[in-house]
Each structure stands twice: as structure tokens, then as C-alpha cells.
Amino acid sequence: ASSIGWHRHRSGFDFGSPHAATSTGIRGLPGEVGDGQSRFGAGVRAVDRLAPVVGGTSEADPETAPMKLSCLEGVPEDLWLTDPAVQRARAILEKAQGRIRAVSFDFFDTLVWRWTDEPTGVFVEVGERLRAKGAIPAHWRSEDYRVYRRMAEVRARQRLIDPQKGHEDITLDEILDHLRALGVDVQSAAEVETQTEEELCCLNPALVQFALWLRQRGLRVVIISDVYLSGEHLAGILRANRCDPELFHRIYTSADQRVCKSTGNLFRAVLRAEKLAADQWLHLGDNLQADVLGAWKAHVQAISYTPVWPVIQTLFEREAFLPGRRPTVFSARGLRLLASRRYAGQGEPEFF
């Protein structure tokens, strides 16, 4: 979810696997990468009720310690069952009859949503906080910082991206290093940006419930994201939202791996690390180019996590032109998109 290469959502639709599942047997679940161990799952069962903990109490995953998910307190137990993408994923898993051993989630705009109108809105808040700390030039406004931060990313990509050498993405530190000559305290900028991301994100509880359901049935659950942040940064966002990162076996980012989903190479890297065949993996994500077409390049089955009500993007665009509406940085747009998934297929009165 690069702040430069942001995309428009499209109508929601699914993409099947380029490979047909050929095995009806229940396969074992691999252990952590490099541990030389194997754990054996019980496959997918038609059980909808969520248990209160993950791991040690589950027959499917006996080696994992019990883990409570306080982020789900007060969330309707059936929330995940109303999400059309989750319904499609469960149908694919049941049809595969145990052949699929792993499910992955994109991070931003799928598992986690920002409380801003657009991703670069985070940079405005970062600029405001850096001004208060005296970590940017005194004459800069918070909006100025957003412009310079975006340009720093553009220049870092121009200088460092080299697909021929296997360098398809960059890190946050490499981006911020381009601000050093402008008088920015880059160490403070890195700390403030990661902290701000933690505070300006919210979880998609339906997908957290789905991940819990998958873990309880012995499947491997990972996060895979095209982003300049590290896996530890994404784990910090989960912790800040009371979701234990241990719910996910691994977090893979393009910044850590230096390859991207959009080229298919990050999917290939995960296939190697997880010791999976392409038809043993199902992926969910919102970006058509990275999450769907990128997965197809690696022959991985993918489900598009785009808005279920296509008109909603037009609605957002028209709201921006309402008379008297002042430009804003913060927004509940993500929450509205999540709500639309809960009431997909119902009439407009019920939706609103």
C-alpha cells in the first residue's frame, strides 16, 4: 500500500485458482520456517462457532500456546459469516477438502484500515507531531511535510529500485534518509511515523475472526503486504489494536523481502519459505494488481477484497464536492466500508 502508488477500488469479484485441487486427503501443517518440525492439522470442518482462545486448546494446533483476543470483545460472533469474501473463501476451502494448507491476508485496506481519507493523510499528522518536537524546519507546515515525505519516497524508489538485482521495494529508513539534507531529524521521523500508523489504524474484526477460525482448524495463517514498513512495524499496529500478532504464523512485507506482490515474486518467496505448492495457498486482498494479478503470476488462488457495494466509491467522490465541506485529513470512510460488508445485499435503507 504505497503512498505513491495508491489505487482506486473496483467492484468486488472473485478469481478462481489457475490450478484445480486434485487431492482430497488432509495434509499436515508445516511448522515455523526453519524449525525442521511439522504440525498436523485436522483440515476444514463445517463448524462456525468461534472458541474463546487460539492454540493450545485446539486439537488442530497443539504446539501453540493459548492466546486470548481481546480485540474481539463485544464483536458479534457472526460478523465474519456475513462478509461475502469470507463466504467465498470458506466455500473454496470446503471444496478443496483439506488440500489448502495456508491462507494469507493483505494488510492495509483488508485486515487493517486507516482513519484517514487517504494513506498520505498519515503524513500530515506525522508532520504536525514533528513540528511540535522541533524535528522539522520551523517554517514547514504539516501539509509541507506530506509533500516532502511523498517526494522522498519517489526519489528513493528512483534511486534504489532495480528489478535486475532483485530490488523491487524500499524501506522506511531509505525513504526518510532523503529528508536528512532538508533538516529533518530522520530518527524522530521514523519513530513518529510508526507510532502514528499504530494510532491511526483500526482492525477489520471480521477478518480477525476468520483468521481465528482458520487457526483453530489447523491452517497456517500469514500476512503478506507490499509496503515500505517491516513485519515488526505491522506487528506493532496489531498490538496497538489489541490483536496479538501471534495469531499469525508469519508477517511478510516487500520491505523485508525486497520483492513485491505485484510482480508475483513476493508470493513466490513465501511459497519457498512456507514450503507450499501454489494450489495449497489461498490469498485475500483488496488490490487488483498486487493481490489478484500478482497472485496469479505465482499460480496462487486469490479472492478480491474490494467493496461489496460498487456505488459507495461514487458516493465518496460526490461527498467531497458538497457545498461548505472543508477538506479533512481524518475520516471514517474505512468504517463505512466495513459496515457495507456487514449489510451486503440488503436494501439501501438497511445499509444506511
Side-chain angles (χ1 to χ4, degrees), residues 129-174:
R129 298 183 184 191
L130 291 175
R131 281 190 67 209
K133 291 169 62 82
I136 59 176
H139 64 281
W140 283 16
R141 301 170 303 145
S142 56
E143 274 288 350
D144 295 331
Y145 181 80
R146 167 157 55 179
V147 173
Y148 287 119
R149 168 61 178 78
R150 294 184 67 181
M151 287 306 302
E153 183 172 342
V154 171
R155 292 180 178 179
R157 293 187 182 281
Q158 291 173 341
R159 184 171 68 89
L160 298 173
I161 298 298
D162 188 349
Q164 298 300 321
K165 295 182 179 179
H167 296 163
E168 296 179 355
D169 212 349
I170 54 180
T171 67
L172 178 61
D173 287 341
E174 290 168 342

mmCIF file of all heavy atoms in Angstrom, residues 129-174:
data_model
loop_
_atom_site.group_PDB
_atom_site.id
_atom_site.type_symbol
_atom_site.label_atom_id
_atom_site.label_comp_id
_atom_site.label_asym_id
_atom_site.label_seq_id
_atom_site.Cartn_x
_atom_site.Cartn_y
_atom_site.Cartn_z
ATOM 1 N N ARG A 129 3.140 16.394 14.450
ATOM 2 C CA ARG A 129 3.836 15.926 15.649
ATOM 3 C C ARG A 129 5.323 16.273 15.594
ATOM 4 O O ARG A 129 5.924 16.608 16.625
ATOM 5 C CB ARG A 129 3.637 14.422 15.818
ATOM 6 C CG ARG A 129 2.179 14.033 16.021
ATOM 7 C CD ARG A 129 2.017 12.535 16.261
ATOM 8 N NE ARG A 129 0.620 12.169 16.354
ATOM 9 C CZ ARG A 129 0.171 10.982 16.754
ATOM 10 N NH1 ARG A 129 1.044 10.034 17.095
ATOM 11 N NH2 ARG A 129 -1.126 10.730 16.820
ATOM 12 N N LEU A 130 5.904 16.197 14.402
ATOM 13 C CA LEU A 130 7.319 16.559 14.270
ATOM 14 C C LEU A 130 7.533 18.054 14.478
ATOM 15 O O LEU A 130 8.564 18.473 15.029
ATOM 16 C CB LEU A 130 7.842 16.126 12.894
ATOM 17 C CG LEU A 130 7.970 14.613 12.671
ATOM 18 C CD1 LEU A 130 8.386 14.325 11.235
ATOM 19 C CD2 LEU A 130 8.974 14.017 13.649
ATOM 20 N N ARG A 131 6.585 18.866 14.048
ATOM 21 C CA ARG A 131 6.671 20.312 14.304
ATOM 22 C C ARG A 131 6.697 20.582 15.799
ATOM 23 O O ARG A 131 7.478 21.409 16.288
ATOM 24 C CB ARG A 131 5.471 21.040 13.690
ATOM 25 C CG ARG A 131 5.556 21.274 12.196
ATOM 26 C CD ARG A 131 4.453 22.209 11.745
ATOM 27 N NE ARG A 131 4.657 23.547 12.293
ATOM 28 C CZ ARG A 131 3.684 24.423 12.572
ATOM 29 N NH1 ARG A 131 2.421 24.077 12.383
ATOM 30 N NH2 ARG A 131 3.960 25.608 13.031
ATOM 31 N N ALA A 132 5.826 19.904 16.523
ATOM 32 C CA ALA A 132 5.762 20.101 17.976
ATOM 33 C C ALA A 132 7.060 19.680 18.662
ATOM 34 O O ALA A 132 7.423 20.230 19.710
ATOM 35 C CB ALA A 132 4.588 19.311 18.548
ATOM 36 N N LYS A 133 7.786 18.737 18.069
ATOM 37 C CA LYS A 133 9.051 18.265 18.631
ATOM 38 C C LYS A 133 10.241 19.075 18.135
ATOM 39 O O LYS A 133 11.371 18.867 18.594
ATOM 40 C CB LYS A 133 9.285 16.791 18.253
ATOM 41 C CG LYS A 133 8.345 15.810 18.925
ATOM 42 C CD LYS A 133 8.467 14.422 18.291
ATOM 43 C CE LYS A 133 9.852 13.835 18.439
ATOM 44 N NZ LYS A 133 10.095 13.199 19.740
ATOM 45 N N GLY A 134 10.007 19.970 17.193
ATOM 46 C CA GLY A 134 11.111 20.724 16.606
ATOM 47 C C GLY A 134 12.000 19.863 15.727
ATOM 48 O O GLY A 134 13.192 20.156 15.559
ATOM 49 N N ALA A 135 11.421 18.804 15.137
ATOM 50 C CA ALA A 135 12.205 17.849 14.360
ATOM 51 C C ALA A 135 12.177 18.129 12.861
ATOM 52 O O ALA A 135 12.788 17.383 12.083
ATOM 53 C CB ALA A 135 11.705 16.432 14.628
ATOM 54 N N ILE A 136 11.461 19.181 12.433
ATOM 55 C CA ILE A 136 11.464 19.608 11.035
ATOM 56 C C ILE A 136 11.700 21.113 11.013
ATOM 57 O O ILE A 136 11.553 21.796 12.041
ATOM 58 C CB ILE A 136 10.136 19.274 10.329
ATOM 59 C CG1 ILE A 136 8.947 19.941 11.025
ATOM 60 C CG2 ILE A 136 9.939 17.767 10.257
ATOM 61 C CD1 ILE A 136 7.612 19.717 10.304
ATOM 62 N N PRO A 137 12.102 21.683 9.874
ATOM 63 C CA PRO A 137 12.316 23.128 9.805
ATOM 64 C C PRO A 137 11.114 23.912 10.325
ATOM 65 O O PRO A 137 9.965 23.549 10.055
ATOM 66 C CB PRO A 137 12.558 23.363 8.312
ATOM 67 C CG PRO A 137 13.174 22.083 7.830
ATOM 68 C CD PRO A 137 12.461 21.001 8.606
ATOM 69 N N ALA A 138 11.368 24.984 11.040
ATOM 70 C CA ALA A 138 10.313 25.716 11.728
ATOM 71 C C ALA A 138 9.280 26.315 10.777
ATOM 72 O O ALA A 138 8.117 26.504 11.165
ATOM 73 C CB ALA A 138 10.938 26.818 12.585
ATOM 74 N N HIS A 139 9.686 26.614 9.531
ATOM 75 C CA HIS A 139 8.748 27.254 8.605
ATOM 76 C C HIS A 139 7.864 26.246 7.877
ATOM 77 O O HIS A 139 6.958 26.641 7.137
ATOM 78 C CB HIS A 139 9.506 28.099 7.583
ATOM 79 C CG HIS A 139 10.403 27.310 6.686
ATOM 80 N ND1 HIS A 139 11.652 26.864 7.083
ATOM 81 C CD2 HIS A 139 10.242 26.871 5.403
ATOM 82 C CE1 HIS A 139 12.216 26.201 6.101
ATOM 83 N NE2 HIS A 139 11.383 26.192 5.073
ATOM 84 N N TRP A 140 8.085 24.956 8.092
ATOM 85 C CA TRP A 140 7.252 23.946 7.441
ATOM 86 C C TRP A 140 5.905 23.812 8.132
ATOM 87 O O TRP A 140 5.815 23.809 9.364
ATOM 88 C CB TRP A 140 7.934 22.585 7.480
ATOM 89 C CG TRP A 140 9.042 22.389 6.494
ATOM 90 C CD1 TRP A 140 9.696 23.358 5.784
ATOM 91 C CD2 TRP A 140 9.640 21.141 6.128
ATOM 92 N NE1 TRP A 140 10.664 22.802 5.001
ATOM 93 C CE2 TRP A 140 10.657 21.436 5.183
ATOM 94 C CE3 TRP A 140 9.423 19.830 6.504
ATOM 95 C CZ2 TRP A 140 11.457 20.451 4.621
ATOM 96 C CZ3 TRP A 140 10.213 18.836 5.936
ATOM 97 C CH2 TRP A 140 11.218 19.149 5.000
ATOM 98 N N ARG A 141 4.854 23.681 7.328
ATOM 99 C CA ARG A 141 3.549 23.297 7.848
ATOM 100 C C ARG A 141 3.428 21.772 7.770
ATOM 101 O O ARG A 141 4.235 21.104 7.126
ATOM 102 C CB ARG A 141 2.422 23.941 7.034
ATOM 103 C CG ARG A 141 2.430 25.466 6.992
ATOM 104 C CD ARG A 141 1.428 25.958 5.971
ATOM 105 N NE ARG A 141 1.727 25.399 4.649
ATOM 106 C CZ ARG A 141 0.807 25.054 3.754
ATOM 107 N NH1 ARG A 141 -0.488 25.181 4.064
ATOM 108 N NH2 ARG A 141 1.147 24.573 2.580
ATOM 109 N N SER A 142 2.411 21.237 8.413
ATOM 110 C CA SER A 142 2.220 19.790 8.374
ATOM 111 C C SER A 142 1.951 19.321 6.947
ATOM 112 O O SER A 142 2.397 18.238 6.537
ATOM 113 C CB SER A 142 1.074 19.375 9.305
ATOM 114 O OG SER A 142 -0.125 20.054 8.969
ATOM 115 N N GLU A 143 1.242 20.130 6.152
ATOM 116 C CA GLU A 143 0.995 19.777 4.760
ATOM 117 C C GLU A 143 2.290 19.776 3.950
ATOM 118 O O GLU A 143 2.449 18.991 3.021
ATOM 119 C CB GLU A 143 -0.009 20.736 4.131
ATOM 120 C CG GLU A 143 -1.462 20.358 4.352
ATOM 121 C CD GLU A 143 -1.877 19.130 3.530
ATOM 122 O OE1 GLU A 143 -1.099 18.694 2.654
ATOM 123 O OE2 GLU A 143 -2.968 18.611 3.767
ATOM 124 N N ASP A 144 3.208 20.684 4.312
ATOM 125 C CA ASP A 144 4.504 20.693 3.637
ATOM 126 C C ASP A 144 5.229 19.376 3.870
ATOM 127 O O ASP A 144 5.859 18.828 2.949
ATOM 128 C CB ASP A 144 5.371 21.854 4.140
ATOM 129 C CG ASP A 144 4.793 23.209 3.800
ATOM 130 O OD1 ASP A 144 4.084 23.314 2.780
ATOM 131 O OD2 ASP A 144 5.040 24.161 4.553
ATOM 132 N N TYR A 145 5.150 18.880 5.095
ATOM 133 C CA TYR A 145 5.835 17.622 5.383
ATOM 134 C C TYR A 145 5.260 16.491 4.523
ATOM 135 O O TYR A 145 6.008 15.641 4.033
ATOM 136 C CB TYR A 145 5.726 17.256 6.865
ATOM 137 C CG TYR A 145 6.461 15.976 7.174
ATOM 138 C CD1 TYR A 145 7.840 15.967 7.341
ATOM 139 C CD2 TYR A 145 5.788 14.748 7.257
ATOM 140 C CE1 TYR A 145 8.532 14.785 7.580
ATOM 141 C CE2 TYR A 145 6.461 13.568 7.495
ATOM 142 C CZ TYR A 145 7.834 13.590 7.656
ATOM 143 O OH TYR A 145 8.513 12.416 7.876
ATOM 144 N N ARG A 146 3.942 16.482 4.347
ATOM 145 C CA ARG A 146 3.349 15.452 3.491
ATOM 146 C C ARG A 146 3.961 15.495 2.092
ATOM 147 O O ARG A 146 4.302 14.456 1.531
ATOM 148 C CB ARG A 146 1.829 15.623 3.377
ATOM 149 C CG ARG A 146 1.281 14.761 2.258
ATOM 150 C CD ARG A 146 -0.164 14.383 2.322
ATOM 151 N NE ARG A 146 -1.134 15.429 2.446
ATOM 152 C CZ ARG A 146 -2.465 15.219 2.502
ATOM 153 N NH1 ARG A 146 -2.935 13.983 2.434
ATOM 154 N NH2 ARG A 146 -3.295 16.213 2.640
ATOM 155 N N VAL A 147 4.118 16.694 1.513
ATOM 156 C CA VAL A 147 4.684 16.823 0.167
ATOM 157 C C VAL A 147 6.117 16.316 0.137
ATOM 158 O O VAL A 147 6.501 15.525 -0.742
ATOM 159 C CB VAL A 147 4.623 18.284 -0.308
ATOM 160 C CG1 VAL A 147 5.359 18.445 -1.639
ATOM 161 C CG2 VAL A 147 3.181 18.747 -0.448
ATOM 162 N N TYR A 148 6.933 16.745 1.094
ATOM 163 C CA TYR A 148 8.338 16.328 1.109
ATOM 164 C C TYR A 148 8.475 14.834 1.379
ATOM 165 O O TYR A 148 9.353 14.176 0.817
ATOM 166 C CB TYR A 148 9.110 17.130 2.156
ATOM 167 C CG TYR A 148 9.379 18.567 1.765
ATOM 168 C CD1 TYR A 148 8.886 19.624 2.513
ATOM 169 C CD2 TYR A 148 10.127 18.860 0.614
ATOM 170 C CE1 TYR A 148 9.133 20.946 2.155
ATOM 171 C CE2 TYR A 148 10.371 20.178 0.244
ATOM 172 C CZ TYR A 148 9.875 21.215 1.013
ATOM 173 O OH TYR A 148 10.121 22.513 0.643
ATOM 174 N N ARG A 149 7.615 14.312 2.219
ATOM 175 C CA ARG A 149 7.669 12.874 2.536
ATOM 176 C C ARG A 149 7.329 12.050 1.291
ATOM 177 O O ARG A 149 7.960 11.011 1.015
ATOM 178 C CB ARG A 149 6.700 12.578 3.685
ATOM 179 C CG ARG A 149 6.409 11.121 3.970
ATOM 180 C CD ARG A 149 7.625 10.319 4.369
ATOM 181 N NE ARG A 149 7.251 8.936 4.674
ATOM 182 C CZ ARG A 149 6.995 8.002 3.767
ATOM 183 N NH1 ARG A 149 7.071 8.291 2.473
ATOM 184 N NH2 ARG A 149 6.673 6.768 4.153
ATOM 185 N N ARG A 150 6.349 12.484 0.527
ATOM 186 C CA ARG A 150 5.980 11.771 -0.699
ATOM 187 C C ARG A 150 7.106 11.862 -1.729
ATOM 188 O O ARG A 150 7.420 10.885 -2.416
ATOM 189 C CB ARG A 150 4.689 12.337 -1.274
ATOM 190 C CG ARG A 150 3.460 12.111 -0.406
ATOM 191 C CD ARG A 150 2.199 12.599 -1.055
ATOM 192 N NE ARG A 150 1.864 11.807 -2.235
ATOM 193 C CZ ARG A 150 0.802 12.052 -3.010
ATOM 194 N NH1 ARG A 150 -0.001 13.071 -2.734
ATOM 195 N NH2 ARG A 150 0.559 11.290 -4.052
ATOM 196 N N MET A 151 7.719 13.056 -1.861
ATOM 197 C CA MET A 151 8.805 13.208 -2.813
ATOM 198 C C MET A 151 10.020 12.377 -2.409
ATOM 199 O O MET A 151 10.737 11.842 -3.273
ATOM 200 C CB MET A 151 9.191 14.689 -2.935
ATOM 201 C CG MET A 151 8.168 15.521 -3.690
ATOM 202 S SD MET A 151 7.770 14.844 -5.331
ATOM 203 C CE MET A 151 9.406 14.830 -6.100
ATOM 204 N N ALA A 152 10.241 12.245 -1.101
ATOM 205 C CA ALA A 152 11.352 11.417 -0.626
ATOM 206 C C ALA A 152 11.146 9.972 -1.053
ATOM 207 O O ALA A 152 12.098 9.277 -1.442
ATOM 208 C CB ALA A 152 11.478 11.522 0.895
ATOM 209 N N GLU A 153 9.901 9.498 -1.016
ATOM 210 C CA GLU A 153 9.626 8.126 -1.439
ATOM 211 C C GLU A 153 9.848 7.964 -2.940
ATOM 212 O O GLU A 153 10.421 6.955 -3.394
ATOM 213 C CB GLU A 153 8.207 7.721 -1.063
ATOM 214 C CG GLU A 153 7.894 6.291 -1.421
ATOM 215 C CD GLU A 153 6.550 5.811 -0.887
ATOM 216 O OE1 GLU A 153 6.008 6.443 0.024
ATOM 217 O OE2 GLU A 153 6.061 4.777 -1.403
ATOM 218 N N VAL A 154 9.418 8.961 -3.717
ATOM 219 C CA VAL A 154 9.617 8.905 -5.160
ATOM 220 C C VAL A 154 11.106 8.813 -5.483
ATOM 221 O O VAL A 154 11.544 7.972 -6.289
ATOM 222 C CB VAL A 154 9.001 10.140 -5.838
ATOM 223 C CG1 VAL A 154 9.409 10.204 -7.316
ATOM 224 C CG2 VAL A 154 7.477 10.104 -5.734
ATOM 225 N N ARG A 155 11.904 9.644 -4.837
ATOM 226 C CA ARG A 155 13.334 9.660 -5.138
ATOM 227 C C ARG A 155 14.022 8.390 -4.658
ATOM 228 O O ARG A 155 14.937 7.888 -5.325
ATOM 229 C CB ARG A 155 13.966 10.899 -4.504
ATOM 230 C CG ARG A 155 13.502 12.191 -5.171
ATOM 231 C CD ARG A 155 14.125 13.423 -4.561
ATOM 232 N NE ARG A 155 13.687 14.629 -5.254
ATOM 233 C CZ ARG A 155 14.046 15.856 -4.924
ATOM 234 N NH1 ARG A 155 14.870 16.043 -3.887
ATOM 235 N NH2 ARG A 155 13.600 16.899 -5.605
ATOM 236 N N ALA A 156 13.603 7.886 -3.511
ATOM 237 C CA ALA A 156 14.193 6.643 -3.018
ATOM 238 C C ALA A 156 13.908 5.500 -3.991
ATOM 239 O O ALA A 156 14.786 4.668 -4.262
ATOM 240 C CB ALA A 156 13.656 6.309 -1.628
ATOM 241 N N ARG A 157 12.714 5.469 -4.527
ATOM 242 C CA ARG A 157 12.373 4.420 -5.489
ATOM 243 C C ARG A 157 13.171 4.585 -6.778
ATOM 244 O O ARG A 157 13.660 3.602 -7.363
ATOM 245 C CB ARG A 157 10.872 4.425 -5.780
ATOM 246 C CG ARG A 157 10.021 4.010 -4.589
ATOM 247 C CD ARG A 157 8.556 3.848 -4.936
ATOM 248 N NE ARG A 157 7.795 3.504 -3.741
ATOM 249 C CZ ARG A 157 7.738 2.287 -3.218
ATOM 250 N NH1 ARG A 157 8.390 1.295 -3.798
ATOM 251 N NH2 ARG A 157 7.036 2.055 -2.122
ATOM 252 N N GLN A 158 13.303 5.806 -7.241
ATOM 253 C CA GLN A 158 14.069 6.044 -8.458
ATOM 254 C C GLN A 158 15.524 5.620 -8.288
ATOM 255 O O GLN A 158 16.143 5.088 -9.215
ATOM 256 C CB GLN A 158 14.000 7.523 -8.839
ATOM 257 C CG GLN A 158 12.625 7.983 -9.319
ATOM 258 C CD GLN A 158 12.550 9.479 -9.531
ATOM 259 O OE1 GLN A 158 13.374 10.248 -9.011
ATOM 260 N NE2 GLN A 158 11.557 9.918 -10.297
ATOM 261 N N ARG A 159 16.082 5.837 -7.114
ATOM 262 C CA ARG A 159 17.498 5.557 -6.885
ATOM 263 C C ARG A 159 17.774 4.098 -6.562
ATOM 264 O O ARG A 159 18.810 3.551 -6.956
ATOM 265 C CB ARG A 159 18.019 6.442 -5.743
ATOM 266 C CG ARG A 159 19.517 6.300 -5.490
ATOM 267 C CD ARG A 159 19.999 7.347 -4.505
ATOM 268 N NE ARG A 159 19.459 7.126 -3.174
ATOM 269 C CZ ARG A 159 20.051 6.354 -2.257
ATOM 270 N NH1 ARG A 159 21.171 5.709 -2.546
ATOM 271 N NH2 ARG A 159 19.517 6.219 -1.061
ATOM 272 N N LEU A 160 16.849 3.440 -5.841
ATOM 273 C CA LEU A 160 17.159 2.127 -5.273
ATOM 274 C C LEU A 160 16.469 0.951 -5.946
ATOM 275 O O LEU A 160 16.942 -0.180 -5.839
ATOM 276 C CB LEU A 160 16.814 2.125 -3.776
ATOM 277 C CG LEU A 160 17.598 3.118 -2.917
ATOM 278 C CD1 LEU A 160 17.037 3.144 -1.496
ATOM 279 C CD2 LEU A 160 19.075 2.762 -2.892
ATOM 280 N N ILE A 161 15.333 1.189 -6.610
ATOM 281 C CA ILE A 161 14.636 0.068 -7.238
ATOM 282 C C ILE A 161 15.429 -0.416 -8.451
ATOM 283 O O ILE A 161 15.738 0.356 -9.357
ATOM 284 C CB ILE A 161 13.206 0.466 -7.657
ATOM 285 C CG1 ILE A 161 12.369 0.852 -6.439
ATOM 286 C CG2 ILE A 161 12.540 -0.665 -8.444
ATOM 287 C CD1 ILE A 161 12.170 -0.258 -5.448
ATOM 288 N N ASP A 162 15.727 -1.697 -8.450
ATOM 289 C CA ASP A 162 16.473 -2.300 -9.539
ATOM 290 C C ASP A 162 16.036 -3.761 -9.672
ATOM 291 O O ASP A 162 16.628 -4.656 -9.076
ATOM 292 C CB ASP A 162 17.981 -2.222 -9.290
ATOM 293 C CG ASP A 162 18.805 -2.679 -10.494
ATOM 294 O OD1 ASP A 162 18.209 -3.243 -11.437
ATOM 295 O OD2 ASP A 162 20.030 -2.478 -10.481
ATOM 296 N N PRO A 163 14.988 -4.004 -10.470
ATOM 297 C CA PRO A 163 14.480 -5.380 -10.598
ATOM 298 C C PRO A 163 15.541 -6.367 -11.079
ATOM 299 O O PRO A 163 15.492 -7.548 -10.736
ATOM 300 C CB PRO A 163 13.346 -5.236 -11.623
ATOM 301 C CG PRO A 163 12.915 -3.805 -11.513
ATOM 302 C CD PRO A 163 14.173 -3.044 -11.228
ATOM 303 N N GLN A 164 16.495 -5.891 -11.876
ATOM 304 C CA GLN A 164 17.535 -6.789 -12.379
ATOM 305 C C GLN A 164 18.378 -7.365 -11.243
ATOM 306 O O GLN A 164 18.913 -8.466 -11.347
ATOM 307 C CB GLN A 164 18.438 -6.032 -13.367
ATOM 308 C CG GLN A 164 17.724 -5.518 -14.600
ATOM 309 C CD GLN A 164 17.091 -6.649 -15.412
ATOM 310 O OE1 GLN A 164 17.681 -7.721 -15.552
ATOM 311 N NE2 GLN A 164 15.898 -6.416 -15.932
ATOM 312 N N LYS A 165 18.504 -6.608 -10.151
ATOM 313 C CA LYS A 165 19.257 -7.064 -8.985
ATOM 314 C C LYS A 165 18.347 -7.643 -7.905
ATOM 315 O O LYS A 165 18.810 -7.965 -6.813
ATOM 316 C CB LYS A 165 20.064 -5.907 -8.399
ATOM 317 C CG LYS A 165 21.157 -5.382 -9.331
ATOM 318 C CD LYS A 165 21.948 -4.267 -8.665
ATOM 319 C CE LYS A 165 23.058 -3.760 -9.574
ATOM 320 N NZ LYS A 165 23.834 -2.649 -8.944
ATOM 321 N N GLY A 166 17.055 -7.759 -8.213
ATOM 322 C CA GLY A 166 16.114 -8.307 -7.245
ATOM 323 C C GLY A 166 15.653 -7.322 -6.208
ATOM 324 O O GLY A 166 15.084 -7.717 -5.189
ATOM 325 N N HIS A 167 15.858 -6.007 -6.438
ATOM 326 C CA HIS A 167 15.427 -4.972 -5.503
ATOM 327 C C HIS A 167 14.153 -4.328 -6.039
ATOM 328 O O HIS A 167 14.212 -3.449 -6.903
ATOM 329 C CB HIS A 167 16.512 -3.915 -5.312
ATOM 330 C CG HIS A 167 17.760 -4.443 -4.685
ATOM 331 N ND1 HIS A 167 18.963 -3.783 -4.722
ATOM 332 C CD2 HIS A 167 17.985 -5.579 -3.985
ATOM 333 C CE1 HIS A 167 19.887 -4.485 -4.087
ATOM 334 N NE2 HIS A 167 19.305 -5.586 -3.638
ATOM 335 N N GLU A 168 13.014 -4.775 -5.550
ATOM 336 C CA GLU A 168 11.728 -4.287 -6.046
ATOM 337 C C GLU A 168 11.038 -3.329 -5.086
ATOM 338 O O GLU A 168 10.034 -2.715 -5.462
ATOM 339 C CB GLU A 168 10.801 -5.477 -6.328
ATOM 340 C CG GLU A 168 11.315 -6.379 -7.437
ATOM 341 C CD GLU A 168 10.404 -7.562 -7.701
ATOM 342 O OE1 GLU A 168 9.402 -7.739 -6.963
ATOM 343 O OE2 GLU A 168 10.681 -8.324 -8.644
ATOM 344 N N ASP A 169 11.525 -3.195 -3.878
ATOM 345 C CA ASP A 169 10.905 -2.267 -2.934
ATOM 346 C C ASP A 169 11.954 -1.700 -1.989
ATOM 347 O O ASP A 169 13.103 -2.156 -1.959
ATOM 348 C CB ASP A 169 9.778 -2.941 -2.147
ATOM 349 C CG ASP A 169 8.666 -1.961 -1.789
ATOM 350 O OD1 ASP A 169 8.859 -0.736 -1.961
ATOM 351 O OD2 ASP A 169 7.595 -2.402 -1.335
ATOM 352 N N ILE A 170 11.520 -0.711 -1.208
ATOM 353 C CA ILE A 170 12.416 0.032 -0.329
ATOM 354 C C ILE A 170 11.884 0.004 1.097
ATOM 355 O O ILE A 170 10.770 -0.464 1.352
ATOM 356 C CB ILE A 170 12.552 1.496 -0.801
ATOM 357 C CG1 ILE A 170 11.162 2.141 -0.948
ATOM 358 C CG2 ILE A 170 13.312 1.561 -2.116
ATOM 359 C CD1 ILE A 170 11.186 3.578 -1.397
ATOM 360 N N THR A 171 12.686 0.521 2.024
ATOM 361 C CA THR A 171 12.311 0.544 3.437
ATOM 362 C C THR A 171 11.991 1.967 3.883
ATOM 363 O O THR A 171 12.335 2.942 3.205
ATOM 364 C CB THR A 171 13.443 -0.012 4.305
ATOM 365 O OG1 THR A 171 14.563 0.899 4.250
ATOM 366 C CG2 THR A 171 13.880 -1.391 3.831
ATOM 367 N N LEU A 172 11.384 2.072 5.040
ATOM 368 C CA LEU A 172 11.072 3.384 5.600
ATOM 369 C C LEU A 172 12.348 4.182 5.843
ATOM 370 O O LEU A 172 12.407 5.389 5.552
ATOM 371 C CB LEU A 172 10.291 3.221 6.909
ATOM 372 C CG LEU A 172 9.924 4.519 7.643
ATOM 373 C CD1 LEU A 172 9.035 5.397 6.780
ATOM 374 C CD2 LEU A 172 9.239 4.203 8.973
ATOM 375 N N ASP A 173 13.374 3.551 6.366
ATOM 376 C CA ASP A 173 14.631 4.260 6.629
ATOM 377 C C ASP A 173 15.239 4.809 5.346
ATOM 378 O O ASP A 173 15.795 5.917 5.330
ATOM 379 C CB ASP A 173 15.630 3.334 7.326
ATOM 380 C CG ASP A 173 15.260 3.062 8.777
ATOM 381 O OD1 ASP A 173 14.460 3.839 9.341
ATOM 382 O OD2 ASP A 173 15.752 2.074 9.337
ATOM 383 N N GLU A 174 15.148 4.044 4.260
ATOM 384 C CA GLU A 174 15.697 4.514 2.988
ATOM 385 C C GLU A 174 14.915 5.701 2.452
ATOM 386 O O GLU A 174 15.489 6.594 1.803
ATOM 387 C CB GLU A 174 15.694 3.366 1.975
ATOM 388 C CG GLU A 174 16.720 2.286 2.301
ATOM 389 C CD GLU A 174 16.550 1.023 1.485
ATOM 390 O OE1 GLU A 174 15.448 0.826 0.906
ATOM 391 O OE2 GLU A 174 17.493 0.230 1.431
#
